[in-house]
Amino acid sequence: MSQAPAPLSPEQRQAVDSGDPRFGFGVDVGGSGVKGAIVDLSTGTLVGDRLKIKTPQPSTPTAVAETVGEIVAHFGWTAKIGITVPAVVAGGVVRTASNIDGGWIGTDPYELFGGQVTATGMSVLNDADAAGLAEARFGLEADQLDGVVILLTLGTGIGSAILLDGGHLLPNTELGHLQVGDSIAEHQASARAKEDHDWSYEKWAGKLSRVLAEYEKLFSPRLFVLGGGISRKSDKWLSLLSVDTPAVPATLRNTAGIVGAAMAAEAGLRP
Ligand code: BGC
């Protein structure tokens, strides 16, 4: 860490000390940063600032777990903790590693993180799944959640969460890895693909539309919810999409993973 993090604010200290189950804790492990914060589970908002530490490179399981431990220790949090990883987590095992060190495949994340943090409960889940849980509870209106809703995080890769009737999650859908034409979806329509190829919004929106059309064909969703950093600039590209299904930007933005992680821990979710 290059700079010492700011000390806890009085409201953060109070949330930690109170032991009130209204407060939870989420950590979002991403390709570039590991972010953690106290979450108010009644509102889906962060209590004070999050702490972000650069993802260690290489992003080996041990190095990342140590960073997670550092973040949790900073807050002095010992109650339930939710942690997201940018990978499939099924049966308590990390199964994939696309934008994170390959050493993650086959690891037991509970053992790994459990070696670094002391918590009364832990949930480890896919990052986009966490974002989906958070958007379903705190971002979308009840009537937007009828039928199938597909949330996508457009970042380094494409993460996906499929939600059914009121926000029930089908975990680990990995729609970013669906083959669309010559390559997988995330190589064509992630925010990174746009950046790497220096595509205009028009060009990129065309690529994204092609990918969304494929998802439309397979799942007949009622709504696409599009998140990730690039959703902040959705006024530049949302209207350029050419799909029949309505698409809206995600509302929780960069807190969705943290909030969803804390929600998963509260619910005792163990995908
Ligand atoms: C991974 C997903 C992850 C997404 C966003 C993809 O490359 O396979 O598990 O949700 O990136 O981080």
Side-chain angles (χ1 to χ4, degrees):
M1 214 185 332
S2 50
Q3 214 186 344
L8 298 197
S9 67
E11 58 162 355
Q12 288 175 319
R13 162 93 18 242
Q14 203 266 331
V16 174
D17 293 344
S18 69
D20 186 337
R22 176 160 71 93
F23 300 110
F25 198 89
V27 183
D28 192 13
V29 174
S32 59
V34 183
K35 297 141 272 178
I38 302 167
V39 176
D40 184 332
L41 292 162
S42 65
T43 56
T45 54
L46 304 192
V47 179
D49 291 336
R50 59 183 196 163
L51 174 61
K52 177 175 175 178
I53 299 180
K54 273 194 184 146
T55 306
Q57 295 304 335
S59 51
T60 59
T62 311
V64 170
E66 280 170 9
T67 304
V68 170
E70 207 177 317
I71 290 176
V72 177
H74 165 72
F75 288 92
W77 191 265
T78 53
K80 292 178 185 172
I81 292 177
I83 304 169
T84 77
V85 287
V88 168
V89 186
V93 175
V94 177
R95 309 267 181 190
T96 63
S98 314
N99 294 309
I100 195 158
D101 188 80
W104 280 87
I105 297 178
T107 56
D108 173 344
Y110 292 94
E111 196 181 304
L112 186 70
F113 292 123
Q116 298 295 330
V117 304
T118 308
T120 55
M122 191 184 283
S123 283
V124 184
L125 74 165
N126 173 263
D127 55 0
D129 283 347
L133 292 175
E135 289 290 342
R137 174 144 15 136
F138 298 110
L140 298 167
E141 301 295 332
D143 68 346
Q144 291 180 298
L145 285 165
D146 284 341
V148 174
V149 172
I150 298 183
L151 171 127
L152 301 172
T153 59
L154 307 167
T156 310
I158 292 182
S160 61
I162 297 188
L163 302 160
L164 179 66
D165 291 341
H168 297 288
L169 174 72
L170 174 65
N172 292 313
T173 45
E174 292 291 317
L175 296 187
H177 290 258
L178 190 78
Q179 186 85 16
V180 179
D182 296 342
S183 62
I184 61 169
E186 74 177 16
H187 290 166
Q188 309 174 35
S190 61
R192 183 202 244 166
K194 177 182 182 305
E195 207 177 294
D196 285 355
H197 296 281
D198 205 13
W199 286 329
S200 64
Y201 280 108
E202 286 76 11
K203 172 114 181 166
W204 176 71
K207 306 266 179 196
L208 180 57
S209 297
R210 184 168 176 226
V211 164
L212 296 180
E214 200 65 27
Y215 299 161
E216 239 176 9
K217 218 158 58 185
L218 294 172
F219 300 103
S220 305
R222 140 122 212 240
L223 183 70
F224 286 119
V225 182
L226 304 175
I230 203 161
S231 68
R232 263 195 302 266
K233 297 183 189 142
S234 63
D235 55 319
K236 293 198 190 331
W237 53 267
L238 203 62
S239 61
L240 303 172
L241 295 177
S242 57
V243 277
D244 296 332
T245 308
V248 295
T251 53
L252 275 85
R253 307 288 153 89
N254 60 4
T255 62
I258 295 175
V259 172
M263 285 171 59
E266 180 202 32
L269 223 70
R270 279 196 168 221

